[in-house]
Amino acid sequence: MTIVADRSACIGSGMCALTAPAVFDQDDAEGLVVLLVAEPEGADARAAAEAVQLCPAQALSSAERQRSSAEQPGE
Amino acid sequence: MTQAPPVPLHMRRDRFDPVEEMTRIREDEGVRELETGYGARAYMVTRYADVREVLSDGSRFSNAGAFRPPDDTRTDAERDRDRAGNLLAYDPPEHSRLRRMLTPEFTVRRMRRLEPRIVEIVEDHLDALARSGPPADLVSGFALPIPSLVICELLGVPYADRDEFQDRTGQLLDLSLELDLRRRLARENREYMSALVTQAQVDPGEDMLGMLVREHGHDLTTDELIGIGELLLIAGHETTSNMLGLGTLALLRHPDQLALVREDPAATAPAIEELLRWISIVHTGVVRTTTTEVEIAGTRIGAGELVFCALPTANRDPALLADPERLDVRRGAPGHLAFGHGVHHCLGAPLARMEMRIAFPALLRRFPQLALAVPYEELSFRAYHFVYGLRALPVTW
């Protein structure tokens, strides 16, 4: 699974850092999302998928690897 | 004193539960047009998916709506001044500009740095309770003072002023009081924060008002600084305090779940999410104004209409989770809407979670025999308040 984080949409709610702390963090300067692992696996991937769903600002999306490029992330 | 008006439908509860009529609306038409109690009609949205959609789409559901009560005599300039700095009264990009200044202050990591001080504050209040009781009122001795002291220190508000501002904001958000009184209190509140902002501008401290002056003083007007300060002070103590009071009561009513939170540190975080969902202290978010014609749950709503979201019914929608009427602190309830959704999602959520994560287990471990000191039926809930809560919670141990 590949995770994409859009910092311009991020509102710094911290939901991702709380839900999947191994995958997401927030930077000190702006409080916005920092992607620690772009391609999480196993339990981290499941937590990251949940964080994508929970993000209040819809700033996160995910895509399965090796899929055709026509598929839109998060859809 | 005139008689209190009837409680608006969307605020009516039977202790912890939304009244049956609210649940019926969610199950039947989903959306109902009704009288808000603010002198205007509005469409109430009750289902989980619809509430999520409304709250996440600021382009169709605007927070910066032009609604004004019929008897609002303020000029446009006065209205602009009154809403300056209030993040909830703006849409992006104006909203983003203000929010970006505050996000670094509320990161999960920043909250962890506050943890030792919050632990100390909680322990101090538990010590004081142990010295003076049993019995004790858990609202005035625990639930209210802890978040109040935390936000005072964080923001830079003298804690000695707490009685004054707690009393004022408590009344400000009490919808049974006359509008004239609430407007006067709003003016007083503004004057109070104005004095603190002036002080911070002269001598900015290490607190959040000081930070805003130092780092954003060139970009923020004085009115904006006052508005931000007012919002953070109100939101910082009127919310977590009611969750601590009602959350403790909910656990006392479910002794097996209380025991779990008391004994298993890993149970705390999921328990807090479930308590947030099940109690949903904020009846509705800020009212939105439609910018175009929309359709929600099959109801067509024209442009320029008011829409608001009923959070308690959305959080008990079977579409969110199975058996939604039951409190089950083991399940964690991800996806609840108690902190809202969309770009206005509660800025202080990480702080609120941190305070609850420390306060609930500490209380239950200090007083393992904690019990109600009065019959459950005699407890008084704040029925007319923008944020649901308990007037008092008499306990013994």
Side-chain angles (χ1 to χ4, degrees):
Chain A
M1 174 195 277
T2 304
I3 303 287
V4 177
D6 177 0
R7 280 173 60 95
S8 69
C10 178
I11 55 161
S13 75
M15 279 305 294
C16 56
L18 205 65
T19 309
V23 182
F24 304 100
D25 198 357
Q26 293 165 281
D27 67 287
D28 278 334
E30 295 182 289
L32 301 181
V33 60
V34 174
L35 196 54
L36 301 175
V37 184
E39 301 196 344
E41 291 178 355
D44 288 345
R46 286 190 291 279
E50 189 181 342
V52 170
Q53 290 301 311
L54 293 180
C55 174
Q58 293 152 302
L60 303 176
S61 52
S62 65
E64 291 302 324
R65 261 175 294 175
Q66 317 288 317
R67 290 273 182 88
S68 81
S69 58
E71 281 181 61
Q72 290 299 305
E75 292 295 317
Chain B
M1 202 61 197
T2 53
Q3 206 186 341
V7 179
L9 175 62
H10 64 273
M11 293 169 64
R12 275 179 230 158
R13 305 209 198 192
D14 180 4
R15 299 200 176 85
F16 282 106
D17 304 327
V19 291
E20 268 176 49
E21 191 177 354
M22 288 293 291
T23 304
R24 251 196 328 270
I25 294 171
R26 185 189 66 218
E27 288 167 358
D28 295 346
E29 70 266 43
V31 173
R32 181 178 289 183
E33 189 185 1
L34 46 76
E35 195 61 52
T36 55
Y38 315 110
R41 297 184 72 77
Y43 291 88
M44 175 176 70
V45 180
T46 57
R47 292 178 188 156
Y48 178 75
D50 295 333
V51 166
R52 232 178 110 107
E53 186 184 335
V54 169
L55 296 182
S56 59
D57 187 352
S59 63
R60 290 192 302 152
F61 302 95
S62 167
N63 277 53
F67 167 71
R68 50 196 305 171
D71 59 342
D72 184 353
T73 55
R74 292 174 299 169
T75 65
D76 286 352
E78 284 169 334
R79 270 171 55 87
D80 281 348
R81 190 206 59 192
D82 287 352
R83 76 169 183 147
N86 177 2
L87 280 79
L88 293 168
Y90 292 93
D91 296 321
E94 291 83 6
H95 168 264
S96 326
R97 170 183 160 261
L98 296 169
R99 178 132 184 166
R100 287 276 154 111
M101 297 178 195
L102 296 166
T103 45
E105 304 301 312
F106 289 96
T107 60
V108 173
R109 193 178 308 125
R110 186 70 71 95
M111 291 306 113
R112 279 192 204 115
R113 255 178 262 156
L114 287 178
E115 187 169 359
R117 178 58 187 142
I118 299 176
V119 168
E120 195 173 65
I121 289 171
V122 167
E123 292 302 323
D124 286 350
H125 284 84
L126 291 173
D127 290 345
L129 283 174
R131 279 195 302 272
S132 65
D137 170 22
L138 214 58
V139 169
S140 59
F142 187 78
L144 185 57
I146 289 170
S148 295
L149 178 52
V150 171
I151 196 67
C152 278
E153 291 190 358
L154 202 60
L155 195 55
V157 171
Y159 190 55
D161 297 345
R162 65 189 177 278
D163 287 345
E164 186 194 326
F165 72 71
Q166 282 167 357
D167 194 44
R168 197 165 45 222
T169 57
Q171 292 188 66
L172 200 57
L173 298 177
D174 182 343
L175 303 182
S176 71
L177 299 178
E178 292 185 23
L179 209 50
D180 280 349
L181 170 63
R182 284 166 48 215
R183 284 189 183 137
R184 182 169 62 75
L185 292 166
R187 275 197 303 278
E188 287 176 17
N189 208 46
R190 196 178 171 78
E191 283 157 22
Y192 173 69
M193 189 53 70
S194 172
L196 294 180
V197 164
T198 304
Q199 211 178 312
Q201 285 170 325
V202 173
D203 181 18
E206 290 306 307
D207 46 58
M208 217 176 285
L209 283 178
M211 178 284 293
L212 286 168
V213 167
R214 265 197 316 274
E215 296 182 17
H216 304 285
H218 54 284
D219 189 24
L220 287 170
T221 66
T222 298
D223 283 334
E224 285 177 328
L225 284 165
I226 294 168
I228 292 171
E230 282 188 291
L231 179 64
L232 294 184
L233 181 57
I234 290 184
H237 80 275
E238 278 288 345
T239 48
T240 308
S241 64
N242 291 303
M243 268 308 297
L244 288 176
L246 286 171
T248 303
L249 178 61
L251 291 173
L252 287 170
R253 301 288 296 168
H254 297 81
D256 55 324
Q257 302 190 42
L258 182 146
L260 194 70
V261 174
R262 184 182 59 218
E263 278 144 36
D264 179 5
T268 309
I272 287 164
E273 299 308 312
E274 173 69 349
L275 288 167
L276 283 161
R277 177 195 74 83
W278 194 70
I279 300 170
S280 290
I281 54 167
V282 179
H283 304 285
T284 72
V286 171
V287 69
R288 264 63 170 178
T289 306
T290 54
T291 58
T292 179
E293 186 180 283
V294 297
E295 188 176 319
I296 308 171
T299 301
R300 293 180 87 79
I301 301 173
E305 299 285 350
L306 299 182
V307 172
F308 67 96
C309 294
L311 301 179
T313 49
N315 275 336
R316 293 198 185 194
D317 190 334
L320 169 62
L321 77 186
D323 204 2
E325 301 296 336
R326 193 167 52 86
L327 176 75
D328 179 358
V329 299
R330 293 165 191 85
R331 61 179 159 192
H336 69 74
L337 301 168
F339 286 122
H341 194 65
V343 298
H344 294 283
H345 180 275
C346 178
L347 175 69
L351 175 60
R353 286 188 167 108
M354 171 68 74
E355 291 176 310
M356 285 188 274
R357 193 167 67 71
I358 295 167
F360 281 126
L363 170 70
L364 301 177
R365 281 175 209 151
R366 177 72 71 100
F367 305 119
Q369 305 300 317
L370 192 72
L372 282 179
V374 297
Y376 179 55
E377 293 68 29
E378 287 177 17
L379 290 173
S380 175
F381 291 75
R382 299 201 309 189
Y384 289 95
H385 206 276
F386 189 78
V387 183
Y388 196 51
L390 286 164
R391 288 183 204 286
L393 182 57
V395 292
T396 185
W397 54 84

